[in-house]
Amino acid sequence: LVAALTISAMGWLPRLPNHGPQTSVDQYYRTPYIVKGYRHVSCASESFLSSFTLSNEVLNIWSHFLGALVFLVSTCSLLLEAWAWESSIFVTESYLPLLIQQLGCVVVVTGSTLAHVFHSQSDWHHQALFVVDYFSISYYCVSAAIAHYSN
């Protein structure tokens, strides 16, 4: 982070975004009871760099990102375990619903991470990315239902 700040100060990277009070953003972006820490970003690189600063989104960004890493690693281990098994019973009867739910977990936290990191750029980004977030939540619900009712 210190290196990114130094490089940013030298002009090689976009500057870190300002964080302002609730009154500095449009009513559309305001969240009740959160009065400060709103990010002012204009491009994707500023949005990415702002995820390393304290703002009202930092806990959402990092908790979802770390969850995405955990679920991605566990999904990869499931895939490796399935390829190691020679039995087709493991793959067909119990593996597929579990894999579908694991992919649902990866999709939901990845979609949420992308929405929270990049939504502050414009109204279009805000709406489009939260549609992606809501779709990923819907996909997770379907994947959990498949896993629950498969056996």
Side-chain angles (χ1 to χ4, degrees):
L1 179 61
V2 173
L5 289 173
T6 305
I7 292 171
S8 178
M10 296 169 69
W12 295 343
L13 290 176
R15 62 176 173 74
L16 289 174
N18 296 325
H19 297 84
Q22 189 179 38
T23 56
S24 66
V25 295
D26 293 335
Q27 183 70 27
Y28 186 70
Y29 294 107
R30 295 181 189 174
T31 304
Y33 309 109
I34 298 178
V35 295
K36 61 181 181 176
Y38 289 89
R39 298 178 299 155
H40 301 281
V41 295
S42 60
C43 63
S45 58
E46 285 183 3
S47 294
F48 176 74
L49 287 175
S50 72
S51 62
F52 297 101
T53 62
L54 290 177
S55 68
N56 64 347
E57 295 280 347
V58 72
L59 188 60
N60 288 329
I61 292 168
W62 285 101
S63 63
H64 290 97
F65 178 70
L66 293 175
L69 287 179
V70 167
F71 285 120
L72 187 62
V73 167
S74 65
T75 303
C76 289
S77 71
L78 274 175
L79 288 171
L80 290 174
E81 185 177 340
W83 284 326
W85 282 75
E86 299 282 330
S87 171
S88 63
I89 294 173
F90 174 73
V91 174
T92 57
E93 289 183 4
S94 62
Y95 171 73
L96 193 56
L98 181 60
L99 179 63
I100 290 170
Q101 185 176 12
Q102 282 293 116
L103 290 175
C105 292
V106 171
V107 166
V108 73
V109 290
T110 302
S112 186
T113 301
L114 292 173
H116 285 289
V117 170
F118 297 109
H119 80 93
S120 297
Q121 295 178 41
S122 68
D123 289 342
W124 184 88
H125 286 94
H126 184 82
Q127 292 174 357
L129 288 168
F130 277 106
V131 165
V132 169
D133 188 25
Y134 299 146
F135 170 78
S136 66
I137 293 168
S138 300
Y139 177 78
Y140 170 74
C141 292
V142 170
S143 70
I146 289 171
H148 181 74
Y149 292 111
S150 63
N151 289 330

